[in-house]
Amino acid sequence: MRRSTVRSPWYGGPAAGLVQDVRYGLRRLMRSPTFTIVAVITIAVGIGATSALYTVIRDILVDPLPYPQANRLVRISEATEAGATMLVSYPNFTDWRDQATSFDAVVAAQFPSTVTVLGGSDAVRAPVEGVSRGYFRTMGAQPLVGRLIRDDENQAGAPPVVMVSERFWRQELAATPDLSGVSLQFYGASRQVVGVLPDAFHDQFDVDVWYPFEPGPPLRNAGNYYVVGRLARGASIATATAEMDALGRALAAAYPNTNGAKRIIVQPLHAVLVGDARTPLLLLATAAVLLLLVACANMAAALLGKGAERQHELAVRAALGGGRTRVVRQLLTESLMLATLGAAAGVAIAYGAVDVVRRFGGSVLPHIRDIGIDASTIGFAAGLVILTTLLFGLAPAISQSRSAMDVLRGGKRTVRGGRNLLWSGLVAGEVAVALLLVVGSGLMVRSVREIVRGDHGFDPKGVLAVHFSLPPGNYRTLESMSAFYNRLLPRLGALPGAQVVGVVNQIPIHPGLVRAAVIGPGGSFKRRDSWVGVAGWRVASPGYFSALHIPLLRGRMFDQRDGPGAPLVTVVNESFARRVWGNENPIGKRVEHAWDTQSPGGGEFAEVVGVVADARDWKQPAGSQPEMFVSWRQRPEYLQSAYAIIRTGPAPQSIARAARSVVRDLDPDVPARVASLTTFIGDTMTDRRFTLDALGGFAAAALLLALVGIWGVVSHAVARRNREIGIRLALGAEQRAVVSMVQGSAMRTVLAGTVVGLILAWIGTGVMRALLVGVTATDPATFAVATLLLVAAAAMASWLPARRASHVDPIRTLRDE
C-alpha cells in the first residue's frame, strides 16, 4: 500500500512559493487596513519627496541646457583683479566678437528691463531685452510663428522690430497667427512684431519681448551686457580663456583710462545659470534623503512591533516546513508589497510636488518649465522600492525569523533584548534626523524674519508702494513727466489714511541698477584716478525719506529752491560721505555722477546740501551701499519708471485699490503694481522662501513620522508589558509611577537621539551659511527652540500610550494570563 505524503502549504518551487507569498501577504495587508494605510502613506512621503527632488536636480543640475550643442555655450565676463565679475561694455563686446578666434559666434544681450508695453489687449508691464545680431541663431532658437530678427535689422536706421514669447502672444495678442498688422510700443517707439518664440525656448532670463539693440553706448567703462559665446570646434574653455585673457590685456593697455576690466572669465553657460540654484537644491535633496531614511526607520520599527504579534504564527509556519530563509522571504515579500504600493502613491506625490516647483520656483530655478516626471523618474522610484524594502524590511525580517525559531524551540514569548536595542536605535535615529531638519528649517525662519524685520536703515512696515512705468510715447518731454507727478503725488496724499507720500526711481532693495563712478571738480570720467568713488544714483522727493523714516543727519532736505533751472543739488547718504570725505564736513562739496551725464542737463556738478542715514538692501552689509540723491524736480527724466511711496499706518493694503484707481484715472496707459513694501521686499528673497517652504515641509513630515514612530514603539512596549504592568498595579503601584516608568524608557531613547541630532545639526548646518542673513548657522536660540519643540512633542507622543497603560485593569490582565 502506497504511503500518502502530506505536503506543507509552504512547499513548492520558487515560482509557486512566490505566488503563495504574495497571496498571503495581500491577505495580511487586508486584515490590517489601518496599518497598511499608514505604512503606505509613510513610504509614499519618503519616496515622493526623494523622486521629486531627483527630477528637479536631474533636469537642472545634471541635464544640459535646452539649446542645440549646449555644451559649447559659454558666458564671457569682465572681471577685476580681485575676481569680481562685471557686465561687459559694448565696445569691448564688439572687439571680442571681431577678434576672438576660439568662438564660432559671440553675441550679447542687455540686462532685461520691465517697462510699459502698449499695443496688446491692455497696457502691461513686461520684461524686455535687447539682443545683438545673431543672438537667436547662436542660441538655436526656432520661431513658433513668423521669423527671427534678421542681422540687417540690428543696424542703425533699420525698421524697428520685436519678437515676443508664446506666453505674451497668447495672453496679450490673442494668439493671432497673422503678425503683419501687430506692433508694440515701448521706449517711445512703435515696433513691428515679426515672430513668436515658443515656450520651449529658454532665454537666460524670463523675458517676454526681444528687440535689436545695436549699436550700443560708446563708453568702455559702461558695462550693460551679458555676453555668450559658442566655442569653435576643437576649442576648449581653457584655450578660449587664454585667448580672451590676452585680448583683455591688450584692450586694457590700449584704453588704460576707460577700460576697467583686467581679466576676462570664460565659464560654461550651464554652470553660470544654475550656480545660484545649486546650494538650495543640494540642501533640499539632502533633506529629502533624510526624510526617506526617517520613513524607513519608522517602517522598520512598525514591522518590529507587528512581528511581536506574529511570533507564534511564524513559529507554526516554520514547523510546517518553512525554514528560516523561507520565513525571511515571506516577510520581505510583504515589505516589498508595502514599498511598491508606497512607491505608486509616491510617484503621484512627486507629480504634485514637481508641479508646485514649476509654479513657485521659476524665479529661483532656471528653465523650470521643462521639468517633469518621465520614465527616468519612474525607474528611480522603482530603485527606491528595492532600497527601501531592504532598509526597512530586512532587519525586522531577520529578527522575526530568529524569534520564530526561538519560540519553536523553547516556547519563549518575550521579545529578545537585541530587538529592543534595534527598536531603540531606530527611534533614536528618527529623532536625530528630525531634529536636524527642524533646526535647518528654524534657521531659515530666523533668516527670513531678520530680512523682513531687520534694521536696514528704513522702516517698510505700514508702507504702500505703487510701481509704474510711464510710456515714453505719451511722455516725450520733461514738462509732461513733471506734470504727471505734480498731479499724482497730491492725489495719493489725499487718500484716506495716507500720512506721507514720496517718489523715488528705485527703492533701497534695488542697490546696484544705477551704480556708476563719481568725480569731483577737475576730474574726468576718462581718468580712473580722478574718481572719488562709485555710488548709487537715485532721484527722489523729500517725502520718500519721511515715508521710510530715513533721518536727515546733517544739512537740509530738498525744498522749493531746488526746482527746474536752479543749481543742481544732491543729498548723500552717510556711507558716501564717509568714503569720499572721511571726517570732513561734506556740506558744500561738489560732485558729479557718471549716470547724470546722460541727462539733458548732464555735465553739471551738484552741491551737497544734506546727509541722510543709510538705507540699504538686505543682501548688502552695513556701510556697503553709498548713494547720491537728487531732487525729482531737477531730474524728472529719471522717473520714467518709479515708485510712489505712501506711509499709511498699520494696514497699507486698505488703500491699495484707491491708489491704483488714482493712477488709472490720470493715465489708463500706465499699468501699476500696488502692494505693501514688505511684499516688494519679499519678492527679492524668493530663493530663501522657496528653500524655507520646502525645508519646512520636510522637517514637519520628519517630525510627524518620528512622533508616530515613538507612539508606535511605546504602544507596542505597553502591549508586551501588559502582564507586568497589571501585576504592578495589583501590588499597589500608583498610576503616576506606571506612566513615569513607561514614558521614562521612551524618553531616554528620545534624549539619546536628541544628543546625536544636535551634533549632526552643529556639523551639517554649515552648508546653509550662504542662505542665512542675520543669523549664524549655529545660532543657540534656534537650536534650543528646536530641541524643546521636539522633546515636548516626543513627550506628548509617549505620554498618550503610557497613560493608557496606567489604566489597565489588573484583575482582567491576571485572569487573561
Side-chain angles (χ1 to χ4, degrees):
M1 181 176 174
R2 208 168 168 186
R3 256 168 67 176
S4 63
T5 302
V6 178
R7 292 184 180 271
S8 163
W10 284 41
Y11 176 86
L18 180 59
V19 171
Q20 291 172 353
D21 290 346
V22 172
R23 287 177 177 174
Y24 182 72
L26 285 174
R27 289 199 297 270
R28 289 286 311 177
L29 296 181
M30 293 175 66
R31 287 174 191 165
S32 305
T34 302
F35 170 80
T36 302
I37 292 172
V38 172
V40 169
I41 292 174
T42 299
I43 300 168
V45 169
I47 290 182
T50 310
S51 298
L53 262 297
Y54 161 80
T55 302
V56 174
I57 289 176
R58 178 203 63 199
D59 288 351
I60 293 179
L61 299 187
V62 179
D63 286 355
L65 295 173
Y67 306 123
Q69 298 180 325
N71 60 320
R72 294 171 55 195
L73 292 176
V74 296
R75 171 75 64 79
I76 313 173
S77 306
E78 296 181 334
T80 64
E81 289 290 357
T85 59
M86 304 181 294
L87 297 182
V88 180
S89 68
Y90 180 78
N92 282 353
F93 155 65
T94 56
D95 284 337
W96 297 354
R97 180 176 61 186
D98 296 340
Q99 300 179 38
T101 61
S102 296
F103 307 95
D104 285 341
V106 177
V107 295
Q110 290 178 317
F111 188 86
S113 299
T114 300
V115 301
T116 296
V117 178
L118 306 177
S121 58
D122 202 353
V124 295
R125 289 178 48 78
V128 303
E129 179 182 65
V131 296
S132 69
R133 69 173 184 259
Y135 179 81
F136 296 114
R137 186 170 59 251
T138 300
M139 304 300 286
Q142 294 294 329
L144 176 69
V145 177
R147 60 173 176 84
L148 299 176
I149 296 173
R150 299 192 304 263
D151 287 352
D152 63 323
E153 291 169 330
N154 275 86
Q155 299 175 359
V161 297
V162 295
M163 297 192 69
V164 299
S165 68
E166 181 181 354
R167 173 180 57 190
F168 186 92
W169 176 63
R170 295 188 183 281
Q171 294 178 355
E172 305 301 331
L173 303 180
T176 176
D178 182 9
L179 301 176
S180 58
V182 181
S183 61
L184 301 178
Q185 296 82 47
F186 59 94
Y187 287 153
S190 179
R191 305 166 190 264
Q192 170 70 40
V193 179
V194 297
V196 177
L197 288 173
D199 286 341
F201 171 76
H202 295 281
D203 199 0
Q204 301 174 72
F205 306 96
D206 192 14
V207 177
D208 278 329
V209 180
W210 296 265
Y211 64 97
F213 74 80
E214 296 181 278
L219 297 178
R220 288 188 180 269
N221 55 9
N224 296 298
Y225 304 103
Y226 290 93
V227 176
V228 174
R230 181 175 286 277
L231 289 171
R233 295 191 180 278
S236 66
I237 290 181
T239 58
T241 299
E243 180 189 18
M244 295 304 295
D245 263 340
L247 181 56
R249 288 193 297 271
L251 292 175
Y255 307 97
N257 292 323
T258 57
N259 195 351
K262 303 300 182 184
R263 296 174 52 202
I264 298 178
I265 297 177
V266 181
Q267 301 169 279
L269 184 61
H270 184 277
V272 174
L273 295 185
V274 306
D276 292 339
R278 188 177 301 274
T279 297
L281 279 182
L282 293 180
L283 176 65
L284 295 179
T286 303
V289 172
L290 292 176
L291 179 61
L292 179 62
L293 293 177
V294 170
C296 290
N298 193 292
M299 282 304 305
L303 289 176
L304 281 172
K306 292 292 288 184
E309 305 171 4
R310 300 179 62 181
Q311 287 183 10
H312 286 281
E313 173 213 333
L314 296 176
V316 171
R317 292 191 173 275
L320 292 176
R324 186 174 178 188
T325 302
R326 190 69 176 79
V327 172
V328 170
R329 193 180 80 178
Q330 170 66 44
L331 296 175
L332 281 179
T333 300
E334 295 176 15
S335 297
L336 180 61
M337 294 169 67
L338 283 174
T340 303
L341 292 173
V347 170
I349 291 176
Y351 267 104
V354 169
D355 184 62
V356 171
V357 170
R358 277 198 300 262
R359 289 172 181 267
F360 301 104
S363 59
V364 181
L365 306 175
H367 56 93
I368 192 73
R369 285 175 287 180
D370 283 342
I371 294 176
I373 302 294
D374 56 14
S376 174
T377 305
I378 304 300
F380 179 79
L384 288 181
V385 169
I386 299 174
L387 176 63
T388 53
T389 299
L390 295 175
L391 284 176
F392 73 74
L394 186 58
I398 293 174
S399 175
Q400 291 171 36
S401 68
R402 185 185 298 122
S403 296
M405 296 302 107
D406 288 342
V407 172
L408 186 62
R409 289 192 295 266
K412 294 183 180 181
R413 299 185 62 184
T414 58
V415 180
R416 296 169 58 94
R419 185 187 296 185
N420 284 330
L421 183 61
L422 177 59
W423 227 326
S424 299
L426 290 172
V427 173
E430 286 188 74
V431 170
V433 173
L435 181 57
L436 171 61
L437 293 176
V438 171
V439 168
S441 180
L443 289 173
M444 289 303 302
V445 170
R446 286 286 308 277
S447 181
V448 171
R449 183 177 179 183
E450 285 295 319
I451 292 171
V452 175
R453 301 185 180 182
D455 182 11
H456 306 299
F458 65 99
D459 180 12
K461 296 186 293 294
V463 174
L464 189 73
V466 184
H467 187 204
F468 49 83
S469 296
L470 303 183
N474 296 4
Y475 297 88
R476 298 181 181 274
T477 65
L478 302 184
E479 291 74 18
S480 62
M481 284 188 275
S482 295
F484 177 83
Y485 287 106
N486 281 326
R487 290 181 295 153
L488 174 70
L489 297 181
R491 290 187 60 176
L492 291 178
L495 293 176
Q499 301 171 5
V500 184
V501 177
V503 66
V504 68
N505 64 326
Q506 289 292 350
I507 50 182
I509 57 176
H510 298 147
L513 298 183
V514 288
R515 289 171 62 86
V518 180
I519 62 171
S524 169
F525 291 115
K526 296 183 178 181
R527 300 199 323 271
R528 290 182 61 87
D529 57 0
S530 68
W531 294 5
V532 298
V534 175
W537 168 262
R538 300 187 195 271
V539 179
S541 70
Y544 161 75
F545 301 96
S546 300
L548 294 188
H549 293 168
I550 302 173
L552 179 68
L553 303 180
R554 180 178 290 183
R556 68 173 178 87
M557 192 55 71
F558 305 127
D559 56 31
Q560 294 300 320
R561 291 171 287 179
D562 309 316
L568 187 66
V569 297
T570 181
V571 172
V572 301
N573 70 354
E574 191 176 10
S575 290
F576 182 91
R578 188 182 302 111
R579 286 193 183 191
V580 177
W581 296 292
N583 294 325
E584 292 184 49
N585 184 0
I587 304 301
K589 304 289 187 181
R590 301 180 67 81
V591 290
E592 183 183 3
H593 197 281
W595 198 262
D596 196 36
T597 59
Q598 303 176 39
S599 168
E604 181 181 0
F605 281 86
E607 178 184 353
V608 178
V609 296
V611 178
V612 295
D614 290 349
R616 59 184 175 84
D617 174 37
W618 59 266
K619 294 184 290 292
Q620 305 297 321
S624 65
Q625 198 169 311
E627 303 279 356
M628 286 179 60
F629 300 87
V630 298
S631 171
W632 77 271
R633 296 182 183 279
Q634 295 189 313
R635 291 292 187 262
E637 61 269 28
Y638 290 106
L639 294 182
Q640 197 83 49
S641 175
Y643 293 80
I645 305 298
I646 312 169
R647 176 160 290 281
T648 66
Q653 290 289 2
S654 61
I655 64 169
R657 179 174 298 181
R660 185 179 290 107
S661 296
V662 167
V663 178
R664 187 181 298 113
D665 290 344
L666 289 177
D667 190 340
D669 286 342
V670 179
R673 182 193 176 193
V674 184
S676 67
L677 188 55
T678 55
T679 299
F680 281 95
I681 295 175
D683 292 344
T684 68
M685 55 181 181
T686 51
D687 57 339
R688 268 73 174 177
R689 288 196 182 277
F690 175 77
T691 306
L692 169 61
D693 293 342
L695 188 60
F698 291 144
L703 180 59
L704 179 61
L705 291 180
L707 297 180
V708 170
I710 294 169
W711 178 85
V713 167
V714 176
S715 295
H716 287 299
V718 169
R720 296 195 315 271
R721 301 176 67 179
N722 248 352
R723 181 171 180 271
E724 173 196 345
I725 293 172
I727 293 174
R728 287 178 179 272
L729 291 173
L731 294 177
E734 294 184 357
Q735 289 182 337
R736 287 183 304 173
V738 172
V739 172
S740 178
M741 175 189 69
V742 175
Q743 191 177 25
S745 176
M747 292 306 296
R748 283 192 291 272
T749 301
V750 170
L751 292 177
T754 300
V755 172
V756 175
L758 287 173
I759 296 172
L760 292 176
W762 188 270
I763 298 171
T765 51
V767 300
M768 300 178 60
R769 287 192 180 94
L771 297 174
L772 300 179
V773 175
V775 60
T776 64
T778 55
D779 177 56
T782 302
F783 274 64
V785 171
T787 302
L788 290 175
L789 172 65
L790 187 142
V791 171
M796 178 59 69
S798 61
W799 177 80
L800 291 173
R803 182 177 180 275
R804 188 173 66 249
S806 69
H807 288 78
V808 168
D809 183 354
I811 304 301
R812 182 175 179 179
T813 301
L814 294 177
R815 184 185 302 119
D816 292 341
E817 289 294 327

